[in-house]
Coordinates of all heavy atoms in Angstrom, one line a residue:
V1 N 32.7 -30.1 -63.5 CA 31.8 -29.1 -62.8 C 30.6 -28.9 -63.7 O 30.8 -28.7 -64.9 CB 32.5 -27.9 -62.5 CG1 31.5 -26.8 -62.0 CG2 33.5 -28.1 -61.4
N2 N 29.3 -28.9 -63.3 CA 28.2 -28.6 -64.0 C 28.2 -27.1 -64.4 O 28.0 -26.3 -63.5 CB 26.9 -28.9 -63.3 CG 25.7 -28.6 -64.0 OD1 25.7 -28.2 -65.2 ND2 24.5 -28.5 -63.3
P3 N 28.3 -26.8 -65.7 CA 28.4 -25.4 -66.1 C 27.0 -24.7 -66.3 O 26.9 -23.5 -66.5 CB 29.2 -25.4 -67.3 CG 28.8 -26.7 -68.0 CD 28.7 -27.6 -66.8
L4 N 25.9 -25.5 -66.1 CA 24.6 -25.0 -66.3 C 24.1 -24.4 -65.0 O 23.1 -24.9 -64.4 CB 23.7 -26.2 -66.8 CG 24.1 -26.7 -68.2 CD1 23.3 -27.9 -68.6 CD2 24.2 -25.6 -69.3
V5 N 24.8 -23.3 -64.6 CA 24.5 -22.6 -63.3 C 24.6 -21.0 -63.7 O 24.8 -20.7 -64.8 CB 25.4 -22.9 -62.1 CG1 25.3 -24.5 -61.9 CG2 26.8 -22.6 -62.5
S6 N 24.2 -20.3 -62.6 CA 24.3 -18.9 -62.8 C 25.9 -18.6 -63.0 O 26.8 -19.1 -62.3 CB 23.9 -18.1 -61.6 OG 22.5 -18.3 -61.5
W7 N 26.1 -17.6 -63.9 CA 27.6 -17.1 -64.2 C 27.6 -15.6 -63.9 O 26.7 -14.8 -64.2 CB 28.0 -17.3 -65.5 CG 28.2 -18.8 -65.9 CD1 27.4 -19.8 -66.1 CD2 29.6 -19.4 -66.0 NE1 28.1 -20.9 -66.5 CE2 29.6 -20.7 -66.4 CE3 30.8 -18.7 -65.9 CZ2 30.5 -21.5 -66.5 CZ3 31.9 -19.6 -66.1 CH2 31.8 -21.0 -66.4
W8 N 28.8 -15.2 -63.3 CA 28.9 -13.8 -63.1 C 30.3 -13.4 -63.9 O 31.3 -14.0 -63.9 CB 29.3 -13.5 -61.6 CG 27.9 -13.8 -60.7 CD1 27.6 -15.0 -60.1 CD2 26.9 -12.9 -60.7 NE1 26.5 -14.9 -59.6 CE2 25.9 -13.6 -59.9 CE3 26.6 -11.7 -61.0 CZ2 24.7 -13.1 -59.5 CZ3 25.4 -11.2 -60.7 CH2 24.4 -11.9 -59.9
L9 N 30.1 -12.2 -64.6 CA 31.3 -11.6 -65.2 C 31.9 -10.6 -64.3 O 31.3 -9.6 -64.1 CB 30.8 -11.1 -66.6 CG 30.1 -12.0 -67.5 CD1 29.7 -11.3 -68.8 CD2 30.9 -13.2 -67.9
D10 N 33.1 -10.9 -63.9 CA 33.8 -10.0 -62.9 C 34.4 -8.9 -63.8 O 35.5 -9.1 -64.4 CB 34.8 -10.8 -62.1 CG 35.5 -10.1 -61.0 OD1 35.5 -8.8 -61.0 OD2 36.1 -10.7 -60.2
V11 N 33.9 -7.6 -63.6 CA 34.4 -6.5 -64.4 C 34.9 -5.5 -63.5 O 34.2 -4.7 -62.8 CB 33.3 -5.9 -65.4 CG1 33.8 -4.8 -66.1 CG2 32.7 -7.0 -66.2
E12 N 36.2 -5.5 -63.3 CA 36.9 -4.6 -62.4 C 38.3 -4.2 -62.8 O 38.7 -4.8 -63.8 CB 36.8 -5.0 -60.9 CG 37.5 -6.4 -60.7 CD 37.2 -7.0 -59.3 OE1 37.1 -6.2 -58.3 OE2 37.1 -8.2 -59.1
N13 N 39.1 -3.6 -62.0 CA 40.4 -3.2 -62.4 C 40.5 -2.5 -63.7 O 41.0 -3.1 -64.7 CB 41.3 -4.4 -62.3 CG 42.8 -4.1 -62.5 OD1 43.3 -2.9 -62.3 ND2 43.6 -5.1 -62.7
P14 N 40.2 -1.1 -63.7 CA 40.4 -0.4 -64.9 C 41.7 -0.5 -65.7 O 41.8 -0.5 -66.9 CB 40.1 1.1 -64.5 CG 39.4 1.0 -63.2 CD 39.9 -0.4 -62.6
S15 N 42.8 -0.8 -65.0 CA 44.1 -0.8 -65.7 C 44.2 -2.1 -66.5 O 45.1 -2.2 -67.4 CB 45.1 -0.7 -64.7 OG 45.2 -1.9 -63.8
G16 N 43.4 -3.1 -66.3 CA 43.4 -4.3 -67.1 C 42.5 -4.3 -68.4 O 42.3 -5.2 -69.0
W17 N 42.0 -3.0 -68.6 CA 41.1 -2.8 -69.9 C 41.7 -1.9 -70.7 O 42.5 -1.0 -70.4 CB 39.7 -2.5 -69.3 CG 39.0 -3.5 -68.6 CD1 39.2 -3.8 -67.4 CD2 38.1 -4.4 -69.2 NE1 38.4 -4.9 -67.0 CE2 37.8 -5.2 -68.0 CE3 37.6 -4.5 -70.4 CZ2 36.8 -6.3 -68.3 CZ3 36.6 -5.6 -70.6 CH2 36.3 -6.4 -69.5
S18 N 41.2 -1.8 -72.0 CA 41.4 -0.8 -73.0 C 40.9 0.6 -72.6 O 39.9 0.6 -71.8 CB 40.8 -1.2 -74.4 OG 40.9 -0.2 -75.2
S19 N 41.5 1.7 -73.1 CA 40.9 2.9 -72.8 C 39.6 3.2 -73.8 O 39.0 4.2 -73.7 CB 41.8 4.0 -73.1 OG 42.4 3.9 -74.5
N20 N 39.3 2.2 -74.7 CA 38.2 2.3 -75.5 C 36.9 1.7 -74.9 O 36.8 0.5 -74.9 CB 38.4 1.6 -76.9 CG 37.3 1.9 -77.9 OD1 36.1 2.1 -77.5 ND2 37.7 1.9 -79.2
L21 N 36.1 2.5 -74.1 CA 35.1 2.1 -73.3 C 34.1 1.4 -74.2 O 33.5 0.4 -73.8 CB 34.4 3.3 -72.7 CG 35.3 4.2 -71.7 CD1 34.5 5.2 -71.1 CD2 36.2 3.3 -70.8
A22 N 33.7 1.7 -75.4 CA 32.8 1.0 -76.3 C 33.2 -0.4 -76.6 O 32.4 -1.3 -76.7 CB 32.5 1.9 -77.5
E23 N 34.5 -0.6 -76.8 CA 35.0 -1.8 -77.1 C 35.1 -2.7 -75.9 O 34.7 -3.9 -76.1 CB 36.5 -1.7 -77.7 CG 36.6 -1.3 -79.2 CD 35.9 -2.1 -80.0 OE1 36.0 -3.4 -80.0 OE2 35.0 -1.7 -80.9
N24 N 35.3 -2.2 -74.8 CA 35.3 -3.0 -73.5 C 33.8 -3.5 -73.3 O 33.6 -4.6 -72.9 CB 35.7 -2.1 -72.3 CG 37.1 -1.8 -72.4 OD1 37.9 -2.3 -73.0 ND2 37.4 -0.7 -71.5
A25 N 32.8 -2.6 -73.5 CA 31.5 -3.0 -73.5 C 31.1 -4.1 -74.5 O 30.4 -5.0 -74.2 CB 30.5 -1.8 -73.7
Q26 N 31.8 -4.0 -75.7 CA 31.5 -5.1 -76.6 C 32.1 -6.4 -76.2 O 31.4 -7.5 -76.4 CB 32.1 -4.7 -78.0 CG 31.3 -3.7 -78.8 CD 30.1 -4.4 -79.3 OE1 29.9 -5.5 -79.7 NE2 29.0 -3.5 -79.1
E27 N 33.1 -6.3 -75.5 CA 33.8 -7.6 -74.9 C 32.8 -8.3 -73.9 O 32.7 -9.5 -73.8 CB 35.2 -7.3 -74.3 CG 35.7 -8.7 -73.7 CD 37.2 -8.3 -73.2 OE1 37.9 -7.4 -73.8 OE2 37.5 -9.0 -72.2
V28 N 32.3 -7.4 -73.0 CA 31.4 -7.9 -71.9 C 30.2 -8.5 -72.6 O 29.7 -9.7 -72.3 CB 31.0 -6.8 -70.9 CG1 30.0 -7.3 -70.0 CG2 32.3 -6.4 -70.1
Q29 N 29.7 -7.9 -73.7 CA 28.4 -8.3 -74.3 C 28.8 -9.6 -75.0 O 28.0 -10.6 -75.1 CB 27.9 -7.3 -75.4 CG 26.7 -7.8 -76.0 CD 25.5 -8.0 -74.9 OE1 25.2 -7.0 -74.3 NE2 24.8 -9.2 -75.0
G30 N 30.1 -9.8 -75.6 CA 30.4 -11.0 -76.2 C 30.5 -12.2 -75.2 O 30.0 -13.3 -75.5
A31 N 30.9 -12.0 -74.0 CA 30.9 -13.0 -73.0 C 29.4 -13.4 -72.6 O 29.1 -14.6 -72.5 CB 31.7 -12.6 -71.7
I32 N 28.6 -12.4 -72.5 CA 27.3 -12.7 -72.2 C 26.6 -13.6 -73.4 O 25.9 -14.5 -73.1 CB 26.4 -11.4 -72.0 CG1 26.8 -10.7 -70.8 CG2 24.9 -11.8 -72.0 CD1 26.3 -9.3 -70.7

């Protein structure tokens, strides 16, 4: 599959994340 297309980061389901919101934001930024 050609990966050179638009990508979406699916950020939902709060129970699947840490309670540390700043760290969660860092993870999303890392994927970007």
Side-chain angles (χ1 to χ4, degrees):
V1 173
N2 176 13
L4 298 174
V5 297
S6 296
W7 283 80
W8 295 96
L9 304 178
D10 187 342
V11 180
E12 54 187 329
N13 187 10
S15 65
W17 290 86
S18 163
S19 60
N20 185 327
L21 306 184
E23 285 299 311
N24 295 341
Q26 284 295 317
E27 183 177 325
V28 173
Q29 187 61 54
I32 293 169

